[in-house]
Amino acid sequence: TYSDLILIPLEWRVSNDTLRNELLNLQPGSLYNVSVAALNDDEEGPSITLEIETIIGIPYPSPPDIVIRERHGDRMVVYIPEAKNVNGPVSMYRIVVSIELYQQGYIIDNLGNYTYATELGLPYYITAELDPDDIKTDFTIGDRSTYNGFYNAPLPLTNDIDVSLGIVSEKNHVKRIRYAESTKKIILNINEPEEVSPLVVALGAGIAIGVVLLLIGIGLLIILRKRIHFARMERGSQSMPLSLSEPCVEIENTGFIQDEDERVDYYSNLK
């Protein structure tokens, strides 16, 4: 058994016409010796003993909280405590990433790998599935590696992240999984920037330089227009209106127009 408790012997009595019976209150994932014997009023007959094993159950208790060591850009270093399970073995550990800006918690039935979450537009996914030996050292979330079929995708830089743990218990072709209750591990600040390609850096620098040159050109144009305006104002202030330096004398118009001479009739004089 995987339980820390000592299993007490159990006994069931059924009628002599019973062909099938369900044995209750057995511990999951445990090996039992089951004896069957006939019993009458006087004595008990010889018994037949069978060795049976119960199937594993849902892991119990809930998985522990992941301990966050540090955050570096799109990566996060975590420590995974060893989990306990009284209903079966701890076969694997699953790390669940949830983007808390869009989603509070997650729906277990929709959990899948990063590709599955991206295709369905889900803000949560399983980023890694680890063997028990893999949790003996710190684990880096977002290292772009694949762990048992789960791609460990880089973390987003602008969102709050919640990481939680799931336990996989598997034995005799039976698999049971339990995920931790949503315990928020919010990471608000980013200590280091994400690795950026040189092409993106060059493109960003070119755009920044272009914007700066545009602003400088606009500033020079504004200064030039102001100078032209001031120059026009100065020329206007230097031009003075015309004025007479001597007093003006009024002249009375007393002239006259001489009458036009009478026209001489030379034709009459010739007669």
Side-chain angles (χ1 to χ4, degrees), residues 8 16 20 28 33 59 67 75 103 106 161 164 175-176 183 211 230 232 234 238-239 271:
I8 61 174
N16 58 1
R20 185 182 182 89
N33 290 323
V67 179
R75 300 187 180 191
Q103 179 79 19
Y106 49 82
I161 304 299
S164 57
K175 180 185 288 187
R176 299 284 187 265
T183 54
V211 172
F230 290 153
R232 289 178 178 176
E234 290 178 357
Q238 291 176 358
S239 60
K271 289 181 178 182

Side-chain angles (χ1 to χ4, degrees), residues 72-75 127 139-147 150-155 157 194-196:
H72 294 289
D74 58 0
R75 300 187 180 191
T127 196
F139 179 76
T140 301
I141 299 176
D143 65 357
R144 297 174 173 83
S145 299
T146 301
Y147 297 89
F150 294 94
Y151 174 61
N152 191 16
L155 298 173
L157 295 177
E194 183 186 12
E195 298 177 0
V196 183

Side-chain angles (χ1 to χ4, degrees), residues 62-68 96 98 100 104-106 161-165 179-186:
S62 179
D65 294 338
I66 293 178
V67 179
I68 298 176
V96 179
S98 178
E100 292 301 317
Q104 295 295 324
Y106 49 82
I161 304 299
D162 173 29
V163 291
S164 57
L165 192 62
Y179 294 95
E181 285 77 11
S182 184
T183 54
K184 305 305 177 187
K185 299 291 183 182
I186 304 299

Side-chain angles (χ1 to χ4, degrees), residues 15 17 54 84 103 105 141 152 155 160 218 223 245 247 253 266:
S15 61
D17 58 351
T54 56
K84 183 176 179 59
Q103 179 79 19
I141 299 176
N152 191 16
L155 298 173
D160 299 338
I218 295 174
I223 294 174
S245 58
N253 186 8
Y266 295 101

